[in-house]
């Protein structure tokens, strides 16, 4: 009995010292909250056995997806916490049949993962900070803002669907949350569902597996407002697209509002059925362009005014607006870092302190480019349509520019290999690695290609 209690105590100590929360934090930082909630949040951490991390997944689909897309990075995270780790095992979770059996340690749950204020509409969390009042409007986003506000405030279906597209961190998700909050504020009885396309696919496959497609259809077709984020993630997923198509038609036929976002316009979406692309263009397509200096400064001023504990000098705000140009998310993150540092060390915010705190970010932004900009520049240079370069076609006149764009994305941005792969039609990070090595080898022997890449680099950096 005493030995049994000792073993149990040792097990409890192991769980208390678990690296799992830190691994989850690293995953969220690299892949984002959506990917974390949809995939890693489904796993259970069992511990480490002979150097192998033991994880459990609720379904074979979740296990296979994580193994195929995220397992190498998860192993890297665990190795960073404990160099003795040798491998990673993900198995299907067994039911806890034995009385008193210890459950798996679940991934930490974000406190906003399910927001009670959304009532029964729990498809995804709605961030209370994302409202129309907190959205700063400029030339680059004024059409998208006006369209979103019209949908939310009018209560009428004036254009269906509303399709918002633009790069990462430009405000698409903010506007979707704002629509949902305003609709629920004006009419709390309205049924609103906001969900990522990736989670839509996951729920549909789960419904097929458990033979519960009727409940799935009821959930998404019996709503007043359906909002699907990042629709590009269902590219080449034929069964999911089939269900999305019929769901879309059912809602539009019933005059229920649909709002869709993607990282590019409908005509540039590759791997999406033509009939879906046609319907996505039925209503209003609004592009959210990269922010200009005036809009970035306005966003910073709005955020600084909300800070009660510190005063941010105007010259610091102007400096950040000039130097952090990638996206709004990174811009706000830079200001948060400066304000947090000033609060923690008890020092006033100055230019010298700002440069010191943000030296890594400023250095990265000295040559900051987006993957979208690189893709468009390479497509124009080689006289291709962007959709062709992102397609599955392997013809040399398409495959080589695609590899060049991947190579430049690795060289000129700080984005990870998995993220670059996702932006090139959902390709695996190993494909990006192969492209980078291939172009590096070719540059040594092919003077014309080397010259092309040098010209593109000067064009993009200048």
């Amino acid at each position: 009995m005493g030995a049994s209690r000792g073993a149990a105590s040792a097990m409890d100590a192991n769980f208390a010292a678990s690296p799992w929360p830190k691994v989850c934090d690293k995953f969220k930082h690299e892949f984002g909250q959506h990917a974390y909630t949809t995939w890693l949040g489904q796993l259970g951490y069992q511990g480490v056995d002979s150097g192998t991390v033991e994880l459990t997944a609720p379904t074979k689909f979740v296990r296979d997806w994580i193994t195929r897309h995220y397992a190498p990075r998860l192993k890297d995270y665990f190795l960073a916490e404990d160099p003795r780790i040798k491998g990673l095992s993900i198995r299907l979770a067994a039911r806890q049949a034995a009385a008193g059996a210890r459950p798996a340690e679940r991934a930490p749950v974000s406190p906003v993962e399910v927001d009670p204020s959304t009532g029964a509409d729990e498809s995804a969390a709605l961030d209370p900070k994302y409202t129309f009042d907190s959205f700063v409007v400029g030339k680059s986003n004024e059409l998208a803002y006006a369209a979103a506000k019209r949908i939310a405030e009018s209560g009428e279906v004036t254009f269906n669907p509303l399709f918002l597209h633009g790069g990462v961190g430009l405000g698409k998700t903010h506007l979707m949350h704002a629509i949902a909050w305003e609709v629920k504020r004006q009419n709390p009885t309205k049924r609103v569902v906001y969900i990522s396309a990736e989670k839509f696919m996951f729920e549909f496959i789960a419904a097929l597996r458990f033979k519960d497609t009727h409940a799935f259809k009821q959930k998404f077709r019996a709503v007043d407002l359906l909002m699907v984020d990042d629709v590009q993630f269902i590219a080449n997923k034929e069964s999911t697209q089939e269900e999305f198509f019929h769901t879309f038609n059912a809602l539009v036929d019933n005059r229920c509002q649909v709002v869709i976002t993607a990282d590019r316009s409908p005509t540039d979406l590759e791997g999406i059925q033509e009939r879906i692309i046609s319907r996505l263009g039925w209503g209003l397509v609004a592009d959210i362009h990269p922010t200009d200096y005036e809009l970035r400064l306005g966003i910073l001023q709005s955020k600084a005014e909300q800070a009660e504990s510190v005063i941010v000098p105007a010259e610091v705000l102007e400096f950040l607006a000039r130097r952090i140009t990638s996206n709004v998310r990174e811009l706000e993150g830079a200001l948060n870092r400066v304000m947090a540092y000033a609060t923690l060390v008890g020092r006033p915010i100055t230019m010298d302190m700002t440069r010191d705190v943000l030296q890594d970010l400023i250095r990265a932004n000295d040559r900051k480019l987006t993957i979208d900009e690189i893709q468009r520049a390479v497509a124009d240079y080689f006289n291709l349509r962007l959709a062709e370069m992102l397609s599955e076609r392997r013809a040399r006149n398409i495959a080589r520019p695609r590899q060049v764009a991947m190579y430049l994305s690795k060289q000129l941005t700080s984005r990870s290999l998995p993220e670059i792969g996702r932006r090139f039609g959902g390709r695996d990070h190993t494909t990006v690695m192969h492209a980078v090595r291939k172009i590096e080898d070719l540059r040594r022997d092919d003077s014309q290609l080397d010259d092309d890449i040098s010209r593109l680099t000067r064009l993009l950096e200048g």
Side-chain angles (χ1 to χ4, degrees):
M1 181 73 73
S4 176
R5 276 198 297 267
S9 297
M11 184 180 291
D12 290 340
N14 289 337
F15 267 76
S18 165
W20 187 230
K22 291 182 180 179
V23 168
C24 291
D25 287 342
K26 289 180 180 180
F27 184 93
K28 279 188 279 191
H29 179 74
E30 179 170 355
F31 295 102
Q33 181 67 42
H34 277 315
Y36 167 76
T37 303
T38 304
W39 303 113
L40 204 66
Q42 304 284 331
L43 296 186
Y45 173 75
Q46 299 287 344
V48 179
D49 183 10
S50 301
T52 299
V53 176
E54 300 283 353
L55 301 173
T56 56
T59 66
K60 183 177 182 295
F61 174 73
V62 172
R63 182 196 65 187
D64 293 348
W65 182 278
I66 292 175
T67 300
R68 189 164 58 250
H69 292 86
Y70 301 122
R73 292 301 293 148
L74 289 177
K75 184 180 177 182
D76 290 343
Y77 300 153
F78 277 108
L79 272 172
E81 299 300 322
D82 185 350
R84 296 170 297 177
I85 297 298
K86 299 175 183 176
L88 185 72
S89 171
I90 306 176
R91 57 182 173 79
L92 294 180
R95 295 188 179 275
Q96 301 294 327
R102 183 184 183 94
E105 182 183 358
R106 300 302 298 172
V109 178
S110 166
V112 296
E113 203 162 293
V114 175
D115 193 321
S117 61
T118 60
D121 309 318
E122 298 176 344
S123 298
L126 293 177
D127 194 323
K129 299 192 300 293
Y130 289 165
T131 65
F132 286 119
D133 290 339
S134 63
F135 190 86
V136 180
V137 185
K139 290 182 180 178
S140 63
N141 60 25
E142 59 186 355
L143 174 60
Y145 172 81
K149 203 151 193 221
R150 170 71 67 85
I151 283 176
E153 294 181 346
S154 69
E156 299 177 359
V157 180
T158 50
F159 29 78
N160 210 9
L162 171 61
F163 188 97
L164 307 175
H165 70 96
V168 175
L170 296 183
K172 303 185 301 294
T173 299
H174 187 144
L175 285 177
M176 293 185 88
H177 286 219
I179 292 171
W181 283 120
E182 184 61 25
V183 168
K184 297 292 285 186
R185 186 187 70 80
Q186 292 198 16
N187 190 343
T189 64
K190 280 205 169 183
R191 296 158 297 177
V192 177
V193 169
Y194 163 76
I195 191 170
S196 70
E198 196 173 30
K199 190 171 183 185
F200 180 91
M201 176 184 69
F202 172 72
E203 291 196 14
F204 175 61
I205 292 174
L208 289 176
R209 182 173 182 270
F210 294 107
K211 298 180 173 57
D212 197 18
T213 55
H214 178 73
F216 177 88
K217 294 177 191 294
Q218 283 294 105
K219 175 178 179 177
F220 290 104
R221 299 186 191 184
V223 301
D224 298 297
L225 170 62
L226 174 64
M227 298 185 290
V228 181
D229 212 354
D230 288 325
V231 76
Q232 72 272 6
F233 284 120
I234 64 171
N236 302 312
K237 307 297 188 297
E238 294 302 323
S239 297
T240 303
Q241 288 187 39
E242 188 75 21
E243 181 58 33
F244 177 81
F245 173 78
H246 293 300
T247 297
F248 179 96
N249 282 346
L251 291 172
V252 171
D253 290 345
N254 291 328
R255 293 194 57 77
C256 300
Q257 183 68 56
V258 180
V259 182
I260 309 289
T261 74
D263 61 354
R264 52 183 65 94
S265 70
T267 54
D268 285 328
L269 288 173
E270 188 66 29
I272 303 291
Q273 297 174 5
E274 284 296 328
R275 58 181 183 172
I276 293 179
I277 291 176
S278 172
R279 281 159 175 76
L280 293 179
W282 271 359
L284 176 64
V285 177
D287 186 4
I288 303 180
H289 303 283
T291 55
D292 54 23
Y293 169 78
E294 288 77 12
L295 179 56
R296 292 194 296 272
L297 183 58
I299 291 169
L300 291 172
Q301 288 171 339
S302 174
K303 193 167 185 64
E305 288 170 1
Q306 299 170 21
E308 300 177 356
S309 57
V310 293
I311 297 174
V312 187
E315 64 175 350
V316 169
L317 297 179
E318 293 166 2
F319 171 76
L320 294 178
R322 284 194 304 271
R323 300 300 293 272
I324 313 297
T325 60
S326 52
N327 61 64
V328 175
R329 205 169 293 150
E330 195 166 86
L331 183 69
E332 292 182 341
L335 181 59
N336 286 338
R337 279 173 62 179
V338 172
M339 293 192 297
Y341 183 86
T343 302
L344 291 170
V345 303
R347 285 173 50 189
I349 295 176
T350 64
M351 283 296 300
D352 287 341
M353 185 259 271
T354 300
R355 287 192 179 96
D356 188 44
V357 172
L358 300 177
Q359 55 181 317
D360 58 328
L361 195 57
I362 292 168
R363 186 166 56 248
N365 273 272
D366 282 342
R367 59 186 187 97
K368 195 74 169 182
L369 289 165
T370 67
I371 294 175
D372 285 343
E373 289 171 335
I374 293 171
Q375 289 173 337
R376 291 191 181 95
V378 172
D380 289 343
Y381 186 87
F382 289 102
N383 197 27
L384 294 174
R385 287 176 55 240
L386 181 60
E388 285 181 308
M389 194 171 69
L390 301 179
S391 71
E392 297 292 329
R393 294 177 60 188
R394 298 185 179 182
R396 182 185 177 86
N397 68 317
I398 295 174
R400 186 68 76 234
R402 182 189 301 132
Q403 290 176 327
V404 168
M406 289 181 178
Y407 170 82
L408 290 172
S409 296
K410 182 69 178 83
Q411 299 300 316
L412 303 180
T413 78
S414 59
R415 302 304 178 192
S416 65
L417 293 176
E419 184 172 357
I420 294 172
R422 288 197 299 272
R423 303 305 295 275
F424 279 83
R427 287 173 166 83
D428 191 79
H429 72 281
T430 55
T431 304
V432 183
M433 290 173 59
H434 171 74
V436 171
R437 294 193 188 108
K438 182 70 174 178
I439 296 302
E440 286 174 345
D441 292 341
L442 288 174
R443 289 192 73 174
R444 288 192 286 266
D445 302 322
D446 189 334
S447 59
Q448 179 59 55
L449 179 64
D450 184 62
D451 184 56
D452 288 337
I453 292 175
S454 297
R455 290 187 182 189
L456 277 165
T457 301
R458 289 194 298 271
L459 175 68
L460 288 163
E461 291 186 328

